Amino acid sequence: LLAGQPHSALQVLLPVLQLLQQQQQQGPERRLGPLMQVVAAVRQISANDEICKSFADAGGVSSLHDLLCSAVESGPPDLVRSATAALRQLANSDQIKQQLAAAGVMGTLVRAIRVYNQPAVREQLLGLLVALVLRMPSISTAAAEAGAVEVLTEVLAAAPAMAAEAKAPSTAAANGNSNARSGNNLGSINESSTYTDDSDDMASKVFGVGVTSGNSNGSAAAVQRQACMAIRNMVVRNPELRPVLLAANAEELLRSVKTLFPSSCKDVASAALRDLGLDNYN
């Protein structure tokens, strides 16, 4: 319907988003699907800096930030993920990074990363943090003050457990196939271990915009990759943060992640170690 007209699309979507936010508070289950579809459409349409700024100037970024804050407190996880993914796309604009930082998004992110441990949700939360601190020394400082150093090292410290858990579904699936062949129906793998979100597909159909899912695959490796990138972005222009992270055991944790997830994290963990000032970063 609105393909090829991004500015017009956002003019239509913003009041719909704000209306659905109000209705979501009154009847959350009934309004969740449409709300997530509109948020997904906003993310897909926000393709360049000009579009992002126009959306911000119209109050769209503030609305999305309010939505994220509300969702972090009351859920559900899929709404947290959807709102975060939209803000992550918008945060390609330096102006929007500054706006979000001034609004206190760092405290929201730190809390959300601790509360929501689903890989698909946490990957988006960490991805937003990565985007916000990229080339932004003042925001990196604000992130550290909000507790980002502690939460990032907590995520890295969880890597061994996440790696073990990531292997479990494939083992369970193999056992399930074996049981099915023998006629023994013992149930299926817990669906909460995987995360799916159909709002992108629905937004594409309704608004005629292409799906731009980015690098997210909701895996344990994706979560750890984002954590490594966040550390690298925080310290590369803020050398005063290096001893803080090293004192928090970042070196040992990054080396562990390189070993546990070599195909996904070796490059970014090495970059983080290098920018922490370590000579032996490979």
Side-chain angles (χ1 to χ4, degrees):
L1 175 63
L2 296 172
Q5 306 174 60
H7 291 282
S8 298
L10 288 177
Q11 290 175 6
V12 172
L13 289 172
L14 180 54
V16 175
L17 170 65
Q18 293 168 337
L19 176 62
L20 288 172
Q21 282 181 259
Q22 296 174 1
Q23 294 177 340
Q24 169 73 9
Q25 297 172 357
Q26 301 168 2
E29 295 301 325
R30 187 163 62 92
R31 298 297 178 182
L32 179 60
L35 179 57
M36 289 183 58
Q37 290 159 20
V38 170
V39 172
V42 168
R43 177 174 65 83
Q44 293 163 14
I45 292 168
S46 302
N48 61 47
D49 195 60
E50 181 185 357
I51 295 170
C52 292
K53 287 180 179 178
S54 68
F55 186 66
D57 291 342
V61 171
S62 295
S63 293
L64 280 173
H65 181 237
D66 290 344
L67 177 61
L68 176 61
C69 292
S70 175
V72 167
E73 294 302 320
S74 58
D78 43 359
L79 184 56
V80 175
R81 178 181 185 266
S82 183
T84 306
L87 288 171
R88 181 180 180 182
Q89 176 68 20
L90 289 159
N92 287 315
S93 164
D94 287 351
Q95 173 184 312
I96 292 174
K97 294 179 190 184
Q98 297 283 10
Q99 180 181 343
L100 287 169
V105 74
M106 286 303 172
T108 303
L109 281 179
V110 168
R111 171 170 167 72
I113 292 166
R114 287 194 168 116
V115 171
Y116 294 93
N117 61 5
Q118 299 92 334
V121 182
R122 189 172 272 187
E123 193 273 343
Q124 289 292 347
L125 292 164
L126 289 164
L128 176 54
L129 176 58
V130 170
L132 288 168
V133 299
L134 178 63
R135 300 187 305 273
M136 288 290 178
S138 63
I139 297 180
S140 295
T141 299
E145 292 172 350
V149 170
E150 292 80 5
V151 81
L152 286 169
T153 52
E154 288 168 14
V155 171
L156 294 176
M162 293 180 73
E165 187 175 346
K167 294 178 181 178
S170 59
T171 303
N175 292 338
N177 291 335
S178 176
N179 290 333
R181 286 192 296 270
S182 64
N184 183 13
N185 184 10
L186 298 178
S188 61
I189 303 171
N190 186 349
E191 292 183 358
S192 66
S193 65
T194 58
Y195 187 99
T196 58
D197 181 359
D198 296 329
S199 57
D200 281 340
D201 292 337
M202 182 60 70
S204 178
K205 295 174 184 176
V206 173
F207 297 103
V209 292
V211 175
T212 55
S213 59
N215 296 325
S216 172
N217 61 11
S219 70
V223 171
Q224 295 298 327
R225 182 175 180 84
Q226 294 300 323
C228 293
M229 292 172 66
I231 289 175
R232 189 267 171 183
N233 286 357
M234 284 180 66
V235 302
V236 67
R237 298 192 183 193
N238 293 66
E240 73 279 4
L241 294 179
R242 295 171 188 169
V244 178
L245 275 150
L246 290 172
N249 205 30
E251 178 183 0
E252 180 180 342
L253 294 170
L254 287 165
R255 294 193 189 281
S256 175
V257 167
K258 285 176 63 175
T259 302
L260 291 166
F261 301 101
S263 61
S264 299
C265 298
K266 183 177 180 180
D267 57 341
V268 289
S270 294
L273 289 166
R274 178 197 65 214
D275 291 321
L276 281 168
L278 301 170
D279 292 332
N280 180 22
Y281 55 85
N282 286 319

